[in-house]
Amino acid sequence: MTPRPRIIAVDGPAASGKGTLARRLARHFGFGYLDTGLLYRAVGLRVLRAGKDLGDEAAAVAAAEAVTAAELADPELRSGPTGNAASAVAKIPGVRQALFDLQRRFAAHPTDDRGRPLLGAVIDGRDIGTVICPDAPVKLFVNASLETRAKRRHKELLERGEAIIYARVLEDIERRDEQDRSRSVAPMAKAPDAFEIDTTGLDADGAFAAALAFIGSRLD
Ligand code: CDP
C-alpha cells in the first residue's frame, strides 16, 4: 500500500485567514506550501493584461494553460481587481481543468521554493479538501464573519496603497463568496470531514493553536 500523502488541505472564503494559517503550518511542519488562489489570480491577471473579457472562455483557458510557478511572485496578483478577476475565471471548467494537474503534482511531490523535495504539503484554496486532495489526512475549513473578513481585506488593500473604501471591499467579498459558493464546478465547500475554525474572534496565534490541536497525531 502506498502511504497516504501528508497533506493539510486548507479551504475557506476570501480573507478568512487561511493563507496566514497555511503558511504558518507549512513552516511548523517543514512542508511545502501552495496558495492555489494565486494560480486563479494569475489567470485573471493574464486575461486582464491581454485586454480580453473575463467571460472569454477561450482566452481564460489559454491563460490557465500558460501559467507558470515563476509568475506567482508578481505583487499585482494581490490587488483587489485581480481577486475579482480570479473569481470570474475560476468558474470556467476548462480553467479549473488546466490548473488541476499542477496542483495534483505538487500534492504528490511537494517541494520547497528551490524545488527540493519535502515530506508533505499545505495547500490552500476553495476545493482542496473536496476535489484536489479528497484523501488528505487533515482538512481545515477556515471561516470568519463577513464584516471581519472585509475589515481585514480593506486593511491589506490600503497597506498595498490601493485607494478603496470599506463598503466597496465588503461588496466585492460578498459577490465573490456568492460566486465561489454557487458555481457548478468545484464550488467552495467545507468537506464533511473538515475541521472548521472560525477566526472571527481569533488572532493568528489562536487560529494556529486551534489547528494544531485538531491535527494532533493525524499526520503520523
Ligand atoms: O485571498 P482570497 O481569499 O481573497 O482569495 P484567493 O484564495 O487568492 O482566491 C481568489 C479566487 O480564486 C477565489 O475567489 C476563487 O474564485 C478562486 N479560487 C478557486 O476557485 N479555487 C481555489 N482552489 C482557489 C481560489
Side-chain angles (χ1 to χ4, degrees):
M1 205 177 90
T2 46
R4 280 180 113 193
R6 302 177 85 200
I7 300 293
I8 302 178
V10 184
D11 289 304
S16 55
K18 62 186 184 313
T20 304
L21 176 61
R23 261 190 300 274
R24 195 145 164 198
L25 289 170
R27 223 175 20 247
H28 177 81
F29 288 106
F31 286 179
Y33 171 52
L34 180 63
D35 173 353
T36 65
L38 282 183
L39 299 173
Y40 292 91
R41 285 171 177 264
V43 175
L45 188 56
R46 272 178 174 265
V47 175
L48 289 178
R49 282 183 175 158
K52 302 278 188 185
D53 193 285
L54 290 167
D56 181 336
E57 298 203 2
V61 172
E65 284 166 351
V67 161
T68 61
E71 70 200 67
L72 302 184
D74 186 338
E76 195 51 31
L77 293 179
R78 310 274 176 192
S79 80
T82 307
N84 295 334
S87 182
V89 296
K91 62 184 179 199
I92 300 170
V95 166
R96 307 201 72 84
Q97 188 55 45
L99 298 178
F100 184 83
D101 288 346
L102 197 154
Q103 297 173 79
R104 292 287 302 164
R105 236 179 294 130
F106 189 81
H109 305 285
T111 53
D112 65 12
D113 45 18
R114 292 198 200 152
R116 291 175 299 206
L118 295 168
L119 290 175
V122 183
I123 306 183
D124 87 39
R126 301 289 186 288
D127 60 343
I128 309 306
T130 50
V131 174
I132 304 294
C133 299
D135 295 330
V138 173
K139 298 181 188 179
L140 304 173
F141 192 85
V142 185
N143 212 339
S145 74
L146 175 64
E147 289 71 24
T148 302
R149 294 187 289 117
K151 270 188 213 144
R152 286 181 189 153
R153 183 49 47 90
H154 187 222
K155 185 165 172 276
E156 279 169 22
L157 294 176
L158 290 181
E159 281 166 5
R160 269 184 43 84
E162 277 186 45
I164 188 163
I165 60 164
Y166 170 77
R168 178 68 199 280
V169 177
L170 184 81
E171 201 183 292
D172 281 353
I173 286 194
E174 222 174 346
R175 185 168 13 91
R176 199 135 71 80
D177 282 355
E178 176 51 28
Q179 192 159 259
D180 291 348
R181 253 195 313 261
S182 62
R183 67 180 173 227
S184 53
V185 209
M188 168 174 71
K190 174 182 173 297
D193 52 346
F195 176 65
E196 182 155 357
I197 300 176
D198 187 329
T199 69
T200 306
L202 288 182
D203 61 9
D205 287 347
F208 180 61
L212 279 189
F214 171 73
I215 293 169
S217 57
R218 283 182 163 82
L219 290 172
D220 295 345

